Amino acid sequence: MSSALYRAFERIVVLDTETTGIRHKEDEIIELAALQALPAAGGLQTAREMDLLIRLSEGRTLPPFIAQLTGISDEQLRREGVSKAEAGAQFAALLSQPGTLLVAYNAQFDLCFLYYFLYRCGRADVLKGVKMLDAMTVYKDRREYPHKLENAIEAYGLQGQNTHRAIDDARATLELLDAMAAEEDDLLHYVNLFGYNPKYGVSGPRISSVTYRPQSLFPKGKLYENF
């Protein structure tokens, strides 16, 4: 039987970004990747794949640490990157149909960046009413610390890799979502429910449609049952 999560949504869009830093309002997205997956027999099947490098604003350059981490260079962004407007339009098209769930690993980070990016492109309205799921919140209820994507890949014995390139990490997150759904069919309870480290609080602005709850580094029952 297919997961209740897959029966509840017509399509699932898995998102990942690479950015110039961690400041949602000031830093920029340099790579935006998304997979549009459709429920199929035995799991999810990728129907559409988007992977875009995005040119930096005039006068900006990549911090050396980010260039080393991602392998992306300023020259590559100038040569292969698309405009912010084009990237915003392509991503908005993925969310234009009803019945879409938006998924990311450590979704708070990516979704805050995505909001400010789409806002500047005049397309933030596309996020209204979209349901969201943080795969890391689910994983933290399943396994003990550490909780990086690479830890989840290893824990479930997946083929994907955490390369710090957005498209690879999006593929790995989709594979992880399938593995977690097969392990325990409770992912629907995590829609619009994000956990956060109580020591540091919620990172970035809160998303109005999301419920935030403190979450331990070590599983202590289900986050959706603890309140």
Side-chain angles (χ1 to χ4, degrees), residues 139-157:
Y139 181 66
K140 288 172 73 173
D141 268 2
R142 304 282 183 91
R143 301 291 192 277
E144 294 186 351
Y145 180 85
H147 297 122
K148 293 181 179 179
L149 179 57
E150 63 190 49
N151 304 128
I153 292 169
E154 182 179 1
Y156 282 90

Side-chain angles (χ1 to χ4, degrees), residues 23-29 57 60 84-85 88 112-124:
R23 300 168 301 172
H24 301 102
K25 293 183 180 181
E26 292 83 14
D27 284 309
E28 299 187 6
I29 295 176
S57 298
R60 295 198 67 161
K84 294 175 175 60
C112 286
F113 264 100
L114 180 67
Y115 170 78
Y116 287 112
F117 176 77
L118 292 176
Y119 177 80
R120 295 183 186 103
C121 296
R123 296 184 178 273

Side-chain angles (χ1 to χ4, degrees), residues 142 175 185 214:
R142 304 282 183 91
E175 191 179 1
D185 190 15

Side-chain angles (χ1 to χ4, degrees), residues 8-77:
F9 295 94
E10 295 180 24
R11 60 194 56 79
I12 293 174
V13 172
V14 179
L15 160 75
D16 194 75
T17 65
E18 297 300 332
T19 68
T20 58
I22 62 174
R23 300 168 301 172
H24 301 102
K25 293 183 180 181
E26 292 83 14
D27 284 309
E28 299 187 6
I29 295 176
I30 57 173
E31 185 182 17
L32 177 62
L35 304 175
Q36 187 183 77
L38 306 178
L44 293 170
Q45 181 176 348
T46 301
R48 184 177 173 186
E49 191 171 291
M50 184 191 87
D51 181 26
L52 300 173
L53 293 176
I54 303 173
R55 292 193 294 271
L56 290 171
S57 298
E58 187 70 27
R60 295 198 67 161
T61 58
L62 281 175
F65 168 75
I66 298 299
Q68 183 178 14
L69 179 69
T70 63
I72 298 171
S73 67
D74 287 308
E75 173 58 30
Q76 189 177 10
L77 290 178

Side-chain angles (χ1 to χ4, degrees), residues 127-187:
L127 294 175
K128 287 185 177 179
V130 173
K131 303 292 186 182
M132 304 170 181
L133 186 144
D134 177 23
M136 187 172 75
T137 293
V138 181
Y139 181 66
K140 288 172 73 173
D141 268 2
R142 304 282 183 91
R143 301 291 192 277
E144 294 186 351
Y145 180 85
H147 297 122
K148 293 181 179 179
L149 179 57
E150 63 190 49
N151 304 128
I153 292 169
E154 182 179 1
Y156 282 90
L158 306 179
Q159 298 298 312
Q161 294 183 324
N162 178 204
T163 65
H164 298 291
R165 287 299 303 265
I167 189 60
D168 292 333
D169 293 355
R171 289 169 181 155
T173 299
L174 180 62
E175 191 179 1
L176 173 64
L177 190 71
D178 243 352
M180 293 193 299
E183 180 183 48
E184 185 173 354
D185 190 15
D186 68 346
L187 270 63

Side-chain angles (χ1 to χ4, degrees), residues 182-196:
E183 180 183 48
E184 185 173 354
D185 190 15
D186 68 346
L187 270 63
L188 193 58
H189 294 293
Y190 291 91
V191 173
N192 283 7
L193 174 63
F194 289 8
Y196 66 89

